[in-house]
Amino acid sequence: MVFDIVTRSVKVPLMAARNNLKLKSAPRSPNIPGEMPAKRGRGRPAGDHAAKRAELVKVAIAVVAQEGFSGASLRKVAQRAGCTTGAVTYYFENKEAMVLAIVEGLWDEWDSYLAATEDDLKSGFERFLNWAKADESDPWLAGFQLIAHARLDPAFATIYQRRYAHYRKTLATRLAKEQRRGKIRSDIPADLLADQLCAMADGWMIMFPIEPERFEAERMKALLDAMVVLVSPRDDKL
């Protein structure tokens, strides 16, 4: 960097001259080749905000899956993502905000499976089970860790209660619609059927990592077919 040193007098004592020194930075020109660019001030990071946030959520899921809720931190997410902790705090103010983003993101994904298979209950559950059975196990492992934490944190538990209630209500609404069409048994209220199906899917997902042999392709198809039989209209002639 180029500095101009200006003194008021060369005849005054050395100490007085030092006190009167003024340093002026030469202005930088963006057109001068090889000159260092001005540093970016604090503010919004460059790039696609939504894409970067989604990337950090994915990294946070991996950290929670491996470290648990208590072991996860913004610093560990930053280290794994290859950025600074300050960059992470731009997207998530604190650990609680980051974990909230994980939970909401997981539920958004599960809701999307239900919405994408509106006219085919079996396909919806199949997509959910294939997601849980995929090689990428971080999401459901993180989900288990966070459910365990929710048991100890009432405020956090309300998030699960809200999202799960919404999911069950959506499923119950679809079941009621199919009951009116004669496609689903009507001797059991739709809200109870929704509860039973959710409990069934939860149990399957929990046991995937423990008993994977129970969920090979052929047997999983048999389980889904049995589920369809269970909710199908009863044949009173039997």
Side-chain angles (χ1 to χ4, degrees), residues 142-184:
F144 291 152
Q145 296 281 10
L146 295 178
I147 287 175
H149 173 70
R151 186 177 64 86
L152 306 174
D153 186 339
F156 191 61
T158 59
I159 300 170
Y160 270 94
Q161 292 167 358
R162 171 176 57 83
R163 293 303 302 257
Y164 211 162
H166 172 75
Y167 185 91
R168 289 196 307 271
K169 182 178 180 180
T170 301
L171 179 57
T173 299
R174 286 183 51 187
L175 291 171
K177 177 183 175 181
E178 294 303 306
Q179 284 178 329
R180 292 190 294 271
R181 295 173 58 190
K183 302 295 185 180
I184 296 291

XYZ file of all heavy atoms in Angstrom, residues 142-184:
358
model
N -31.168 -38.342 12.294
C -31.327 -37.033 12.930
C -32.730 -36.905 13.512
O -32.918 -36.348 14.600
C -31.068 -35.920 11.911
N -33.721 -37.433 12.776
C -35.085 -37.378 13.281
C -35.241 -38.097 14.610
O -35.886 -37.585 15.538
N -34.618 -39.260 14.742
C -34.669 -39.985 16.012
C -34.011 -39.195 17.137
O -34.508 -39.142 18.260
C -33.977 -41.343 15.869
C -34.710 -42.316 15.004
C -34.031 -43.307 14.321
C -36.081 -42.252 14.867
C -34.703 -44.215 13.511
C -36.767 -43.149 14.067
C -36.076 -44.131 13.392
N -32.864 -38.598 16.838
C -32.153 -37.810 17.848
C -33.015 -36.650 18.335
O -33.058 -36.342 19.542
C -30.845 -37.271 17.258
C -29.833 -38.321 16.859
C -29.047 -38.870 18.042
O -29.368 -38.604 19.200
N -28.010 -39.632 17.760
N -33.694 -36.005 17.409
C -34.489 -34.830 17.771
C -35.775 -35.220 18.502
O -36.231 -34.494 19.390
C -34.804 -34.017 16.521
C -33.563 -33.405 15.851
C -33.951 -32.662 14.589
C -32.819 -32.478 16.804
N -36.359 -36.364 18.135
C -37.531 -36.833 18.873
C -37.146 -37.137 20.323
O -37.893 -36.825 21.263
C -38.126 -38.085 18.205
C -38.829 -37.687 16.899
C -39.114 -38.788 19.130
C -39.348 -38.860 16.110
N -35.977 -37.742 20.501
C -35.506 -38.034 21.859
C -35.327 -36.745 22.654
O -35.661 -36.676 23.842
C -34.188 -38.811 21.795
N -34.822 -35.714 21.988
C -34.653 -34.431 22.677
C -36.004 -33.792 22.982
O -36.177 -33.169 24.031
C -33.811 -33.481 21.815
C -33.739 -32.095 22.377
N -33.033 -31.795 23.521
C -34.316 -30.922 21.961
C -33.158 -30.502 23.794
N -33.933 -29.960 22.862
N -36.965 -33.950 22.087
C -38.280 -33.343 22.290
C -38.937 -33.845 23.570
O -39.714 -33.128 24.211
C -39.174 -33.614 21.087
N -38.624 -35.075 23.938
C -39.194 -35.627 25.174
C -38.767 -34.825 26.392
O -39.476 -34.778 27.400
C -38.756 -37.086 25.332
C -39.396 -37.823 26.490
C -38.949 -39.271 26.515
N -37.532 -39.396 26.754
C -36.971 -39.422 27.970
N -37.742 -39.339 29.048
N -35.669 -39.551 28.116
N -37.604 -34.177 26.302
C -37.054 -33.429 27.428
C -37.272 -31.924 27.303
O -36.936 -31.174 28.219
C -35.544 -33.702 27.544
C -35.130 -35.169 27.632
C -33.613 -35.296 27.584
C -35.688 -35.803 28.905
N -37.802 -31.494 26.177
C -37.955 -30.062 25.914
C -39.392 -29.797 25.457
O -39.714 -29.952 24.284
C -36.961 -29.629 24.831
C -36.956 -28.137 24.596
O -37.943 -27.473 24.949
O -35.959 -27.619 24.041
N -40.269 -29.380 26.379
C -41.678 -29.178 26.030
C -41.886 -28.197 24.882
O -42.768 -28.416 24.032
C -42.287 -28.636 27.335
C -41.395 -29.169 28.410
C -40.015 -29.166 27.818
N -41.101 -27.135 24.828
C -41.256 -26.148 23.754
C -40.933 -26.777 22.401
O -41.612 -26.531 21.403
C -40.363 -24.944 24.013
N -39.896 -27.589 22.393
C -39.506 -28.259 21.165
C -40.536 -29.322 20.790
O -40.833 -29.540 19.613
C -38.123 -28.881 21.344
C -37.488 -29.374 20.086
C -37.209 -28.516 19.044
C -37.155 -30.716 19.939
C -36.617 -28.967 17.883
C -36.560 -31.178 18.778
C -36.287 -30.301 17.752
N -41.101 -29.970 21.799
C -42.098 -31.013 21.555
C -43.333 -30.445 20.870
O -43.983 -31.144 20.079
C -42.494 -31.680 22.871
N -43.673 -29.190 21.149
C -44.855 -28.603 20.533
C -44.709 -28.510 19.011
O -45.715 -28.544 18.289
C -45.128 -27.194 21.091
O -44.006 -26.345 20.840
C -45.400 -27.253 22.586
N -43.474 -28.395 18.523
C -43.244 -28.348 17.077
C -43.635 -29.678 16.456
O -44.333 -29.740 15.437
C -41.780 -28.013 16.774
C -41.405 -26.664 17.369
C -41.524 -28.019 15.264
C -39.916 -26.361 17.324
N -43.172 -30.766 17.077
C -43.529 -32.104 16.581
C -45.038 -32.325 16.678
O -45.652 -32.891 15.762
C -42.791 -33.172 17.373
C -41.452 -33.531 16.789
C -40.298 -32.912 17.244
C -41.335 -34.476 15.771
C -39.057 -33.230 16.694
C -40.116 -34.803 15.228
C -38.977 -34.177 15.695
O -37.754 -34.489 15.149
N -45.624 -31.886 17.770
C -47.063 -32.070 17.938
C -47.828 -31.333 16.841
O -48.791 -31.879 16.268
C -47.479 -31.568 19.323
C -46.949 -32.414 20.463
C -47.104 -31.726 21.818
O -47.575 -30.597 21.900
N -46.703 -32.413 22.870
N -47.398 -30.113 16.552
C -48.075 -29.316 15.528
C -47.949 -29.944 14.156
O -48.943 -30.091 13.438
C -47.490 -27.896 15.515
C -47.969 -27.035 14.344
C -47.431 -25.622 14.450
N -45.993 -25.570 14.517
C -45.189 -25.614 13.453
N -45.703 -25.760 12.234
N -43.872 -25.536 13.590
N -46.731 -30.353 13.777
C -46.529 -30.913 12.448
C -47.174 -32.293 12.300
O -47.728 -32.625 11.258
C -45.035 -30.973 12.124
C -44.347 -29.633 11.959
C -44.986 -28.764 10.877
N -45.008 -29.374 9.575
C -44.172 -29.076 8.574
N -43.227 -28.174 8.759
N -44.293 -29.647 7.390
N -47.064 -33.095 13.354
C -47.656 -34.435 13.283
C -49.182 -34.330 13.216
O -49.850 -35.082 12.499
C -47.227 -35.269 14.480
C -47.120 -36.756 14.202
C -46.392 -37.594 15.046
C -47.763 -37.341 13.110
C -46.279 -38.958 14.793
C -47.665 -38.698 12.850
C -46.927 -39.503 13.703
O -46.823 -40.847 13.443
N -49.749 -33.398 13.964
C -51.200 -33.207 13.934
C -51.650 -32.789 12.528
O -52.687 -33.255 12.037
C -51.613 -32.154 14.957
N -50.873 -31.926 11.899
C -51.197 -31.497 10.537
C -51.129 -32.682 9.577
O -52.009 -32.834 8.711
C -50.230 -30.406 10.093
C -50.361 -30.038 8.644
N -51.399 -29.283 8.158
C -49.580 -30.348 7.565
C -51.263 -29.132 6.846
N -50.173 -29.770 6.468
N -50.101 -33.513 9.730
C -49.945 -34.677 8.856
C -51.120 -35.642 9.032
O -51.708 -36.104 8.046
C -48.625 -35.380 9.179
C -48.296 -36.533 8.264
C -47.555 -36.335 7.105
C -48.719 -37.827 8.564
C -47.245 -37.390 6.261
C -48.418 -38.889 7.729
C -47.681 -38.666 6.583
O -47.387 -39.712 5.743
N -51.471 -35.937 10.284
C -52.578 -36.860 10.537
C -53.900 -36.297 10.006
O -54.718 -37.030 9.462
C -52.704 -37.162 12.035
C -51.586 -38.026 12.604
C -51.979 -38.590 13.966
N -52.408 -37.543 14.873
C -51.584 -36.865 15.677
N -50.285 -37.123 15.666
N -52.058 -35.943 16.489
N -54.081 -34.997 10.171
C -55.322 -34.375 9.688
C -55.420 -34.469 8.169
O -56.491 -34.769 7.617
C -55.372 -32.916 10.135
C -56.650 -32.208 9.727
C -56.675 -30.775 10.231
C -57.973 -30.068 9.820
N -57.999 -28.668 10.310
N -54.286 -34.217 7.495
C -54.269 -34.321 6.035
C -54.579 -35.745 5.595
O -55.371 -35.979 4.672
C -52.904 -33.890 5.479
O -52.631 -32.541 5.879
C -52.873 -33.971 3.960
N -53.954 -36.717 6.273
C -54.192 -38.115 5.939
C -55.635 -38.501 6.227
O -56.284 -39.197 5.426
C -53.232 -39.000 6.734
C -53.365 -40.512 6.528
C -53.190 -40.874 5.049
C -52.323 -41.254 7.381
N -56.166 -38.039 7.361
C -57.548 -38.364 7.718
C -58.527 -37.775 6.704
O -59.534 -38.415 6.353
C -57.866 -37.845 9.118
N -58.241 -36.584 6.221
C -59.105 -35.950 5.214
C -59.128 -36.779 3.933
O -60.183 -36.980 3.311
C -58.607 -34.529 4.904
O -58.663 -33.739 6.099
C -59.468 -33.872 3.835
N -57.971 -37.266 3.534
C -57.897 -38.114 2.337
C -58.614 -39.435 2.548
O -59.312 -39.930 1.654
C -56.438 -38.350 1.973
C -55.760 -37.133 1.356
C -54.353 -37.434 0.947
N -54.272 -38.634 0.130
C -53.126 -39.194 -0.247
N -51.984 -38.660 0.123
N -53.132 -40.279 -0.997
N -58.456 -40.018 3.728
C -59.137 -41.281 4.016
C -60.654 -41.095 4.003
O -61.394 -41.943 3.489
C -58.674 -41.825 5.368
C -57.227 -42.329 5.436
C -56.835 -42.622 6.873
C -57.041 -43.567 4.569
N -61.116 -39.975 4.574
C -62.556 -39.707 4.591
C -63.097 -39.557 3.168
O -64.206 -40.021 2.854
C -62.836 -38.439 5.400
N -62.312 -38.921 2.329
C -62.711 -38.772 0.925
C -62.848 -40.136 0.256
O -63.818 -40.397 -0.476
C -61.671 -37.921 0.195
C -61.928 -37.749 -1.295
C -60.813 -36.943 -1.946
C -61.004 -36.873 -3.461
N -59.899 -36.104 -4.108
N -61.873 -41.009 0.514
C -61.916 -42.342 -0.082
C -63.027 -43.192 0.534
O -63.582 -44.078 -0.132
C -60.560 -43.028 0.091
C -59.424 -42.363 -0.678
C -59.742 -42.285 -2.158
O -60.053 -43.327 -2.779
O -59.692 -41.163 -2.706
N -63.363 -42.923 1.791
C -64.499 -43.631 2.403
C -65.798 -43.283 1.685
O -66.633 -44.153 1.446
C -64.604 -43.270 3.891
C -63.562 -43.947 4.766
C -63.664 -43.520 6.218
O -64.066 -42.393 6.519
N -63.294 -44.415 7.128
N -65.966 -42.012 1.347
C -67.168 -41.592 0.630
C -67.238 -42.189 -0.771
O -68.336 -42.405 -1.311
C -67.225 -40.065 0.553
C -67.449 -39.390 1.902
C -67.747 -37.916 1.755
N -66.614 -37.174 1.228
C -65.659 -36.625 1.979
N -65.712 -36.747 3.314
N -64.669 -35.946 1.428
N -66.079 -42.491 -1.324
C -66.028 -43.108 -2.657
C -66.141 -44.628 -2.585
O -66.162 -45.302 -3.613
C -64.723 -42.722 -3.355
C -64.597 -41.247 -3.661
C -63.220 -40.915 -4.202
N -62.926 -41.679 -5.420
C -61.729 -41.746 -6.000
N -60.704 -41.088 -5.459
N -61.561 -42.442 -7.094
N -66.163 -45.164 -1.371
C -66.272 -46.600 -1.205
C -64.964 -47.347 -1.383
O -64.947 -48.574 -1.531
N -63.842 -46.634 -1.336
C -62.536 -47.251 -1.538
C -61.854 -47.643 -0.223
O -60.934 -48.454 -0.219
C -61.616 -46.284 -2.298
C -62.144 -45.837 -3.657
C -62.225 -47.002 -4.624
C -62.642 -46.542 -6.009
N -62.723 -47.670 -6.969
N -62.290 -47.045 0.879
C -61.710 -47.306 2.200
C -62.836 -47.726 3.138
O -63.954 -47.196 3.068
C -61.011 -46.045 2.756
C -59.823 -45.650 1.868
C -60.544 -46.259 4.202
C -58.650 -46.600 1.912
